[in-house]
mmCIF file of all heavy atoms in Angstrom:
data_model
loop_
_atom_site.group_PDB
_atom_site.id
_atom_site.type_symbol
_atom_site.label_atom_id
_atom_site.label_comp_id
_atom_site.label_asym_id
_atom_site.label_seq_id
_atom_site.Cartn_x
_atom_site.Cartn_y
_atom_site.Cartn_z
ATOM 1 N N SER A 169 2.344 -71.509 11.922
ATOM 2 C CA SER A 169 1.589 -70.682 12.867
ATOM 3 C C SER A 169 1.126 -69.381 12.229
ATOM 4 O O SER A 169 1.874 -68.754 11.473
ATOM 5 C CB SER A 169 2.464 -70.339 14.065
ATOM 6 O OG SER A 169 2.640 -71.496 14.834
ATOM 7 N N ALA A 170 -0.088 -69.003 12.575
ATOM 8 C CA ALA A 170 -0.617 -67.713 12.123
ATOM 9 C C ALA A 170 0.327 -66.602 12.567
ATOM 10 O O ALA A 170 0.736 -66.561 13.723
ATOM 11 C CB ALA A 170 -2.007 -67.490 12.705
ATOM 12 N N GLY A 171 0.689 -65.752 11.616
ATOM 13 C CA GLY A 171 1.545 -64.617 11.949
ATOM 14 C C GLY A 171 3.018 -64.850 11.710
ATOM 15 O O GLY A 171 3.849 -64.014 12.068
ATOM 16 N N THR A 172 3.363 -65.996 11.084
ATOM 17 C CA THR A 172 4.788 -66.276 10.856
ATOM 18 C C THR A 172 5.133 -66.417 9.373
ATOM 19 O O THR A 172 6.297 -66.524 9.016
ATOM 20 C CB THR A 172 5.213 -67.601 11.536
ATOM 21 O OG1 THR A 172 4.511 -68.685 10.923
ATOM 22 C CG2 THR A 172 4.920 -67.590 13.025
ATOM 23 N N VAL A 173 4.124 -66.425 8.508
ATOM 24 C CA VAL A 173 4.381 -66.762 7.107
ATOM 25 C C VAL A 173 4.336 -65.540 6.183
ATOM 26 O O VAL A 173 5.104 -65.431 5.232
ATOM 27 C CB VAL A 173 3.380 -67.853 6.632
ATOM 28 C CG1 VAL A 173 3.548 -68.136 5.149
ATOM 29 C CG2 VAL A 173 3.574 -69.134 7.445
ATOM 30 N N GLY A 174 3.460 -64.595 6.467
ATOM 31 C CA GLY A 174 3.393 -63.384 5.666
ATOM 32 C C GLY A 174 4.610 -62.499 5.899
ATOM 33 O O GLY A 174 5.331 -62.687 6.875
ATOM 34 N N GLU A 175 4.803 -61.528 4.996
ATOM 35 C CA GLU A 175 5.920 -60.586 5.174
ATOM 36 C C GLU A 175 5.717 -59.810 6.480
ATOM 37 O O GLU A 175 6.631 -59.649 7.272
ATOM 38 C CB GLU A 175 5.981 -59.599 4.002
ATOM 39 C CG GLU A 175 6.761 -60.085 2.799
ATOM 40 C CD GLU A 175 5.939 -61.006 1.909
ATOM 41 O OE1 GLU A 175 4.743 -61.206 2.202
ATOM 42 O OE2 GLU A 175 6.491 -61.529 0.928
ATOM 43 N N VAL A 176 4.496 -59.299 6.658
ATOM 44 C CA VAL A 176 4.148 -58.549 7.859
ATOM 45 C C VAL A 176 2.748 -59.007 8.273
ATOM 46 O O VAL A 176 1.869 -59.133 7.420
ATOM 47 C CB VAL A 176 4.129 -57.023 7.592
ATOM 48 C CG1 VAL A 176 3.846 -56.260 8.878
ATOM 49 C CG2 VAL A 176 5.451 -56.558 6.988
ATOM 50 N N ASN A 177 2.546 -59.275 9.560
ATOM 51 C CA ASN A 177 1.285 -59.867 9.999
ATOM 52 C C ASN A 177 0.686 -59.087 11.161
ATOM 53 O O ASN A 177 1.402 -58.426 11.906
ATOM 54 C CB ASN A 177 1.521 -61.324 10.378
ATOM 55 C CG ASN A 177 2.271 -62.036 9.264
ATOM 56 O OD1 ASN A 177 1.792 -62.110 8.142
ATOM 57 N ND2 ASN A 177 3.482 -62.493 9.559
ATOM 58 N N CYS A 178 -0.636 -59.198 11.305
ATOM 59 C CA CYS A 178 -1.343 -58.264 12.169
ATOM 60 C C CYS A 178 -2.240 -58.970 13.176
ATOM 61 O O CYS A 178 -3.025 -59.841 12.810
ATOM 62 C CB CYS A 178 -2.204 -57.365 11.297
ATOM 63 S SG CYS A 178 -1.247 -56.656 9.941
ATOM 64 N N PHE A 179 -2.136 -58.550 14.417
ATOM 65 C CA PHE A 179 -2.938 -59.123 15.499
ATOM 66 C C PHE A 179 -3.723 -58.022 16.209
ATOM 67 O O PHE A 179 -3.272 -56.880 16.286
ATOM 68 C CB PHE A 179 -2.036 -59.796 16.543
ATOM 69 C CG PHE A 179 -1.371 -61.056 16.068
ATOM 70 C CD1 PHE A 179 -0.188 -61.012 15.344
ATOM 71 C CD2 PHE A 179 -1.935 -62.297 16.350
ATOM 72 C CE1 PHE A 179 0.434 -62.180 14.915
ATOM 73 C CE2 PHE A 179 -1.321 -63.466 15.927
ATOM 74 C CZ PHE A 179 -0.135 -63.414 15.203
ATOM 75 N N SER A 180 -4.870 -58.404 16.765
ATOM 76 C CA SER A 180 -5.628 -57.518 17.641
ATOM 77 C C SER A 180 -5.634 -58.129 19.036
ATOM 78 O O SER A 180 -5.735 -59.345 19.188
ATOM 79 C CB SER A 180 -7.066 -57.394 17.140
ATOM 80 O OG SER A 180 -7.891 -56.887 18.179
ATOM 81 N N LEU A 181 -5.521 -57.286 20.046
ATOM 82 C CA LEU A 181 -5.599 -57.760 21.434
ATOM 83 C C LEU A 181 -6.726 -57.021 22.146
ATOM 84 O O LEU A 181 -6.669 -56.746 23.343
ATOM 85 C CB LEU A 181 -4.254 -57.546 22.135
ATOM 86 C CG LEU A 181 -3.050 -58.171 21.406
ATOM 87 C CD1 LEU A 181 -1.745 -57.695 22.006
ATOM 88 C CD2 LEU A 181 -3.111 -59.688 21.447
ATOM 89 N N HIS A 182 -7.749 -56.681 21.379
ATOM 90 C CA HIS A 182 -8.975 -56.030 21.856
ATOM 91 C C HIS A 182 -9.573 -56.844 23.022
ATOM 92 O O HIS A 182 -9.382 -58.055 23.094
ATOM 93 C CB HIS A 182 -9.932 -55.978 20.654
ATOM 94 C CG HIS A 182 -11.273 -55.380 20.935
ATOM 95 N ND1 HIS A 182 -12.301 -56.099 21.478
ATOM 96 C CD2 HIS A 182 -11.739 -54.129 20.738
ATOM 97 C CE1 HIS A 182 -13.358 -55.322 21.610
ATOM 98 N NE2 HIS A 182 -13.044 -54.109 21.167
ATOM 99 N N PRO A 183 -10.309 -56.188 23.927
ATOM 100 C CA PRO A 183 -10.869 -56.891 25.091
ATOM 101 C C PRO A 183 -11.642 -58.164 24.763
ATOM 102 O O PRO A 183 -11.727 -59.063 25.605
ATOM 103 C CB PRO A 183 -11.795 -55.839 25.709
ATOM 104 C CG PRO A 183 -11.177 -54.542 25.351
ATOM 105 C CD PRO A 183 -10.552 -54.734 24.001
ATOM 106 N N LEU A 184 -12.217 -58.276 23.556
ATOM 107 C CA LEU A 184 -12.999 -59.471 23.239
ATOM 108 C C LEU A 184 -12.162 -60.610 22.658
ATOM 109 O O LEU A 184 -12.682 -61.678 22.364
ATOM 110 C CB LEU A 184 -14.126 -59.117 22.258
ATOM 111 C CG LEU A 184 -15.253 -58.247 22.817
ATOM 112 C CD1 LEU A 184 -16.196 -57.811 21.703
ATOM 113 C CD2 LEU A 184 -16.036 -58.997 23.892
ATOM 114 N N LYS A 185 -10.858 -60.402 22.477
ATOM 115 C CA LYS A 185 -10.036 -61.422 21.859
ATOM 116 C C LYS A 185 -9.559 -62.479 22.877
ATOM 117 O O LYS A 185 -9.610 -62.250 24.077
ATOM 118 C CB LYS A 185 -8.811 -60.769 21.186
ATOM 119 C CG LYS A 185 -9.193 -59.844 20.024
ATOM 120 C CD LYS A 185 -10.014 -60.559 18.967
ATOM 121 C CE LYS A 185 -10.131 -59.796 17.663
ATOM 122 N NZ LYS A 185 -10.817 -58.500 17.743
ATOM 123 N N ASN A 186 -9.070 -63.615 22.359
ATOM 124 C CA ASN A 186 -8.596 -64.693 23.252
ATOM 125 C C ASN A 186 -7.488 -64.187 24.176
ATOM 126 O O ASN A 186 -7.488 -64.458 25.372
ATOM 127 C CB ASN A 186 -8.052 -65.873 22.435
ATOM 128 C CG ASN A 186 -9.162 -66.652 21.754
ATOM 129 O OD1 ASN A 186 -10.292 -66.180 21.674
ATOM 130 N ND2 ASN A 186 -8.847 -67.847 21.276
ATOM 131 N N LEU A 187 -6.524 -63.506 23.592
ATOM 132 C CA LEU A 187 -5.507 -62.823 24.405
ATOM 133 C C LEU A 187 -5.876 -61.350 24.365
ATOM 134 O O LEU A 187 -5.774 -60.712 23.316
ATOM 135 C CB LEU A 187 -4.100 -63.054 23.830
ATOM 136 C CG LEU A 187 -2.966 -62.312 24.545
ATOM 137 C CD1 LEU A 187 -2.891 -62.690 26.021
ATOM 138 C CD2 LEU A 187 -1.624 -62.580 23.866
ATOM 139 N N ASN A 188 -6.327 -60.813 25.498
ATOM 140 C CA ASN A 188 -6.984 -59.505 25.465
ATOM 141 C C ASN A 188 -6.387 -58.514 26.446
ATOM 142 O O ASN A 188 -5.965 -58.865 27.540
ATOM 143 C CB ASN A 188 -8.476 -59.684 25.734
ATOM 144 C CG ASN A 188 -8.754 -60.425 27.045
ATOM 145 O OD1 ASN A 188 -7.855 -61.005 27.629
ATOM 146 N ND2 ASN A 188 -9.978 -60.377 27.497
ATOM 147 N N ALA A 189 -6.372 -57.257 26.017
ATOM 148 C CA ALA A 189 -5.968 -56.161 26.887
ATOM 149 C C ALA A 189 -7.226 -55.583 27.541
ATOM 150 O O ALA A 189 -8.335 -56.025 27.259
ATOM 151 C CB ALA A 189 -5.250 -55.096 26.078
ATOM 152 N N ALA A 190 -7.024 -54.582 28.385
ATOM 153 C CA ALA A 190 -8.156 -53.912 29.018
ATOM 154 C C ALA A 190 -8.484 -52.636 28.248
ATOM 155 O O ALA A 190 -8.796 -51.606 28.831
ATOM 156 C CB ALA A 190 -7.825 -53.603 30.474
#
Side-chain angles (χ1 to χ4, degrees):
Chain A
S169 289
T172 64
V173 175
E175 274 81 3
V176 183
N177 310 300
C178 310
F179 290 84
S180 162
L181 306 169
H182 178 277
L184 291 172
K185 296 304 194 297
N186 288 14
L187 176 59
N188 55 347

